[in-house]
């Protein structure tokens, strides 16, 4: 199924007339972190992926080899088909700590690696939930959240075709990196049945522990002996502590990757057939205390990446220094044993992301991932890759919003406030010049705001389910922009007794909308605001007759705008600034 989906995406990508959107989503880490919490890789308890081996997908963390401090008990040891038996998982104090996650199953005591036996009934649906392991519905029980627990009770329903003896098993997660897997519980036997034979004990498979790097990576060889993907472009991780760095080069039948970057918990990259998250091959280097866990994973949609079995990555090594996480590993070009590992002789977009981690569990990234501007064959010719954290369409969105509300609207306000008297007798197409200029600028502002507002929806294909404050504030700005011309259309004559109240409403609308747009590009805007403030103060002094300014000086000041001008204008009675009112 995965291979078919992957092939379909390839054909769609390369079909004539189809161009992938030139943007990315917070991938990843959306991708790498969308649903992550520090307690467990699956805080929701939907762990059907662990039904067979009962192992949580917690990176390179192996089950705790020490005896389990948790107890799994059954209320009786003899049963008949159709009976119900209460099973309890508990953390006896002070020996055991409360646990974050668990998985309970029942299996044939003579074949603990076989299929599950019977079904369960919940006692408390707030803390436990049923899972379907295989064709049986409700054949296992797990947690519902990462909340700590000390006691869980469930009811096991003995099937009619139950084996002579059944043993209960449990996996208990104390926290992300500490857990006990397949804890043997009590054995219950059918009435008149013989006890199960003694089974040989099993031992955990050996795992290779990554070694520690002795020196940081270097950009030497980028573009000649290895491909490099960096942010800032051209940086060297050996001398720049703020350098995000990914390199890869062919080593026989494998590819060696080097990943580095300043991060609170993890750095990661993903291989994708397009610039949208979903069905991506992911690689994680996660700080866990004083070591780094190095894992391959697969992200299906905007979900937690599912970690791959051990053995996919070889020659792994890591380094922690001055807030930087660095790791190196090799991966075969072809991994036929794991269909979720992409063939590295194909071309992919590359996502580079980082974020926080706690106890080895990653959280959602704080910053837009760096995405390559073009596809790259991983085992192809070495080159320096370029990328961007901001899609072009979103850059246009920001540029339009910023220019409209910092320049066009501010200019319209200044014209209406300070040039009304200077151009009192001048007309243009039957209306006073200041009014025509003011109205024209405000019309352009509304049209450009509408255009800028639609761009994120075009990019995302609709409303984002993960929309936050910025998106909602943008909607408010759009509504207020539409209300501007509506307010002007219904505004009474300046001499009307209702003029002041309506003017106050329009001014209030305008002020809120402009202030919302002043959140971005703080450094650049600060300079614009400072100069604009000086310009407005000079114009205000000129208007009050406290200073005489030449015409050129006044015109020059119009090219320096600031949302603070509106705030200063509002300090005066509303009759000084009646946007959208026709003056005769």
């Amino acid at each position: 199924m995965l291979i078919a989906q992957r092939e379909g995406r390839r054909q769609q990508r390369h079909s004539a007339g189809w161009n992938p959107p030139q943007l990315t989503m917070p991938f990843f880490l959306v991708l790498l972190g969308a649903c992550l919490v520090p307690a467990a890789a699956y805080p929701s308890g939907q762990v059907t992926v662990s039904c067979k081996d009962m192992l949580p997908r917690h990176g390179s963390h192996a089950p705790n080899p020490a005896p389990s401090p948790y107890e799994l008990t059954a209320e009786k040891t003899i049963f008949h088909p159709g009976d119900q038996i209460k099973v309890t998982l508990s953390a006896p104090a002070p020996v055991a700590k409360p646990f974050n996650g668990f998985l309970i199953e029942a299996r044939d005591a003579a074949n603990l690696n076989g299929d599950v036996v019977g079904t369960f009934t919940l006692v408390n649906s707030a803390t436990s939930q049923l899972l379907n392991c295989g064709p049986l519905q409700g054949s296992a029980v797990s947690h519902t959240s990462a909340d700590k627990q000390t006691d869980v009770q469930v009811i096991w329903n003995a099937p009619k075709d139950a084996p002579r003896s059944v043993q209960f098993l449990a996996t208990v997660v104390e926290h992300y990196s500490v857990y006990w897997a397949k804890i043997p519980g009590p054995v219950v036997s059918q009435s008149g049945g013989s006890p199960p034979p003694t089974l040989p004990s099993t031992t955990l498979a050996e795992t290779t522990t990554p070694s520690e790097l002795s020196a940081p990576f270097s950009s030497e060889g980028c573009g000649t002996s290895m491909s490099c993907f960096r942010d800032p472009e051209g940086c060297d991780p050996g001398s720049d502590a703020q350098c995000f760095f990914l390199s890869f080069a062919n080593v026989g039948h494998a590819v060696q990757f080097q990943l580095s970057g300043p991060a609170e918990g993890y750095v990661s990259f993903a291989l994708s057939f397009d610039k949208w998250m979903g069905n991506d091959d992911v690689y994680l280097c996660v700080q866990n205390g004083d070591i780094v866990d190095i894992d391959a994973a697969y992200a299906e949609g905007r979900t937690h990446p599912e970690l791959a079995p051990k053995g996919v990555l070889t020659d792994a090594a890591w380094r922690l220094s001055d807030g930087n996480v660095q790791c190196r590993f090799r991966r075969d070009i072809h991994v036929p044993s794991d269909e979720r590992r992409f063939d590295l002789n194909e071309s992919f977009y590359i996502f580079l992301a980082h974020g926080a981690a706690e106890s080895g569990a990653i959280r959602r990234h704080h910053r837009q991932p760096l995405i390559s501007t073009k596809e790259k064959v991983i085992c192809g010719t070495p080159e320096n890759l370029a990328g961007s954290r901001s899609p072009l369409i979103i850059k246009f969105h920001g540029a339009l919003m910023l220019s409209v509300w910092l320049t066009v609207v501010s200019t319209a306000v200044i014209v209406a406030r300070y040039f009304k008297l200077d151009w009192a007798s001048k007309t243009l197409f039957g209306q006073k010049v200041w009014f025509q200029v003011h109205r024209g600028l405000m019309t352009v502002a509304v049209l450009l705001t509408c255009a800028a507002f639609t761009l994120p929806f075009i990019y995302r294909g609709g409303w984002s389910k993960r929309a936050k404050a910025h998106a909602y504030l943008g909607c408010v700005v759009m509504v207020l922009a539409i209300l501007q011309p509506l307010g002007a259309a219904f505004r009474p004559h300046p001499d009307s007794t209702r003029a002041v109240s309506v003017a106050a409403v329009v001014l209030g609308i305008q002020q809120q909308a402009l202030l919302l747009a002043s959140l971005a590009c703080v450094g650049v805007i600060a300079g614009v605001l400072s100069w604009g403030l000086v310009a407005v103060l000079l114009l205000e002094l000129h208007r009050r007759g406290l200073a005489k300014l030449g015409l050129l000086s006044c015109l020059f000041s119009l090219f320096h705008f600031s949302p603070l001008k509106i705030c200063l204008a509002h300090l005066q009675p509303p009759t000084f600034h009646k946007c959208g009112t026709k003056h005769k």
Side-chain angles (χ1 to χ4, degrees):
M1 178 63 73
L2 268 173
I3 295 176
Q5 291 176 349
R6 189 186 308 168
E7 185 61 30
R9 295 180 71 188
R10 289 197 197 97
Q11 293 175 358
Q12 182 186 36
R13 179 188 64 180
H14 294 295
S15 62
W18 187 87
N19 293 312
Q22 296 303 308
L23 295 174
T24 174
M25 302 184 78
F27 155 69
F28 202 26
L29 291 189
V30 197
L31 168 109
L32 286 181
C35 305
L36 311 184
V37 296
Y42 295 89
S44 65
Q46 296 295 327
V47 292
T48 52
V49 66
S50 300
C51 281
K52 188 66 176 179
D53 56 17
M54 299 189 72
L55 290 174
R57 300 312 191 252
H58 287 190
S60 58
H61 301 295
N64 194 324
S68 167
Y70 301 99
E71 293 182 354
L72 186 63
T73 60
E75 65 178 353
K76 57 184 180 180
T77 59
I78 302 298
F79 74 93
H80 297 85
D83 281 357
Q84 291 188 323
I85 299 177
K86 180 182 292 186
V87 179
T88 302
L89 173 63
S90 60
V95 179
K97 298 179 180 179
F99 49 89
N100 294 95
F102 67 89
L103 175 63
I104 300 176
E105 296 181 5
R107 299 189 182 185
D108 185 347
N111 181 17
L112 295 180
N113 293 321
D115 295 332
V116 294
V117 176
T119 60
F120 290 89
T121 301
L122 300 180
V123 174
N124 185 353
S125 59
T127 59
S128 57
Q129 63 181 322
L130 298 177
L131 299 179
N132 300 333
C133 289
L136 287 178
Q137 294 186 352
S139 52
V141 184
S142 72
H143 53 284
T144 58
S145 70
D147 294 340
K148 294 184 179 298
Q149 301 185 62
T150 58
D151 184 273
V152 173
Q153 293 184 339
V154 294
I155 303 296
W156 178 69
N157 307 302
K160 294 181 179 180
D161 58 348
R164 290 185 175 274
S165 297
V166 175
Q167 185 169 17
F168 297 103
L169 303 172
T171 290
V172 182
V173 177
E174 182 179 303
H175 58 76
Y176 185 81
S177 59
V178 178
Y179 65 90
W180 285 262
K182 225 169 183 179
I183 301 171
V187 176
V188 294
S189 303
Q190 291 196 50
S191 179
S194 56
T198 302
L199 298 176
S201 59
T202 58
T203 57
L204 297 174
E206 277 190 31
T207 58
T208 302
T209 302
S211 60
E212 188 170 356
L213 294 167
S214 58
F217 300 137
S218 171
S219 62
E220 184 178 353
C222 285
T224 56
S225 60
M226 61 184 180
S227 294
C228 295
F229 190 32
R230 294 173 280 181
D231 183 30
E233 189 172 349
C235 66
D236 184 353
S239 57
D240 185 357
Q242 299 303 312
C243 180
F244 290 95
F245 176 82
L246 171 66
S247 71
F248 44 93
N250 292 347
V251 183
H253 297 291
V255 174
Q256 178 172 279
F257 294 90
Q258 295 182 137
L259 180 61
S260 173
E264 300 174 6
Y266 72 90
V267 289
S268 58
F269 73 92
L271 307 178
S272 178
F273 287 111
D274 50 41
K275 290 190 174 183
W276 297 91
M277 190 201 72
N279 301 329
D280 300 319
D281 191 359
V282 183
Y283 298 87
L284 305 164
C285 297
V286 186
Q287 181 177 357
N288 182 21
D290 296 330
I291 63 173
V292 174
D293 297 329
I294 305 173
D295 290 288
Y298 184 81
E300 184 174 355
R302 302 183 69 179
T303 60
H304 183 284
E306 183 179 331
L307 299 181
K310 294 301 171 185
V312 173
L313 308 180
T314 59
D315 192 25
W318 57 270
R319 184 175 184 267
L320 293 173
S321 176
D322 300 327
N324 272 252
V325 178
Q326 299 183 336
C327 66
R328 183 192 66 203
F329 58 86
R330 292 186 184 183
R331 209 217 81 176
D332 289 343
I333 296 176
H334 307 283
V335 185
S337 61
D338 187 352
E339 64 178 9
R340 292 186 168 186
R341 303 279 72 78
F342 296 169
D343 288 345
L344 301 183
N345 56 4
E346 299 186 48
S347 59
F348 306 98
Y349 289 101
I350 301 175
F351 293 74
L352 185 60
H354 68 283
E358 185 174 339
S359 300
I362 64 175
R363 295 180 179 271
R364 186 180 179 182
H365 60 92
H366 302 304
R367 188 181 180 190
Q368 181 83 358
L370 182 69
I371 302 179
S372 60
T373 55
K374 66 176 184 178
E375 297 169 288
K376 168 63 180 173
V377 177
I378 303 303
C379 57
T381 304
E383 62 179 301
N384 285 301
L385 302 174
S388 173
R389 294 186 184 272
S390 299
L392 183 60
I393 193 170
I394 298 301
K395 289 181 178 178
F396 275 114
H397 163 77
L400 284 175
M401 282 294 196
L402 204 60
S403 60
V404 166
W405 292 98
L406 280 182
T407 60
V408 178
V409 174
S410 297
T411 303
V413 172
I414 287 181
V415 168
R417 177 171 174 78
Y418 296 108
F419 286 80
K420 185 186 306 182
L421 297 179
D422 292 342
W423 295 343
S425 60
K426 298 179 181 180
T427 60
L428 179 66
F429 301 115
Q431 297 286 347
K432 294 185 177 181
V433 171
W434 74 265
F435 177 74
Q436 293 286 44
V437 173
H438 169 79
R439 182 169 59 180
L441 289 174
M442 291 304 296
T443 300
V444 170
V446 173
L447 293 176
L448 291 181
T449 298
C450 292
F453 181 77
T454 60
L455 294 181
F457 290 93
I458 295 174
Y459 164 57
R460 293 300 301 269
W463 181 260
S464 172
K465 294 181 179 179
R466 296 185 178 275
K468 294 188 177 181
H470 180 90
Y472 291 103
L473 291 177
C475 292
V476 173
V477 170
M478 186 69 252
V479 172
L480 296 179
I482 295 298
L483 290 179
Q484 288 281 357
L486 293 179
F490 291 99
R491 184 168 184 164
H493 189 273
D495 297 329
S496 170
T497 56
R498 294 176 295 169
V500 173
S501 61
V502 176
V505 173
V506 176
L507 290 173
I509 291 175
Q510 176 181 303
Q511 180 183 18
Q512 292 181 36
L514 285 172
L515 289 179
L516 290 177
S518 65
L519 298 175
C521 303
V522 177
V524 176
I525 295 178
V528 177
L529 295 183
S530 300
W531 186 264
L533 178 60
V534 173
V536 170
L537 288 175
L538 291 176
L539 284 170
E540 188 66 23
L541 292 173
H542 175 73
R543 187 180 69 85
R544 294 176 180 270
L546 300 177
K548 298 298 181 181
L549 300 176
L551 178 61
L552 290 178
S553 298
C554 292
L555 293 176
F556 174 74
S557 67
L558 291 178
F559 292 96
H560 303 278
F561 312 102
S562 163
L564 291 181
K565 297 184 182 72
I566 290 88
C567 298
L568 292 174
H570 293 170
L571 295 176
Q572 305 300 325
T575 53
F576 285 110
H577 174 57
K578 302 180 181 297
C579 296
T581 305
K582 296 182 180 180
H583 290 261
K584 298 181 180 179

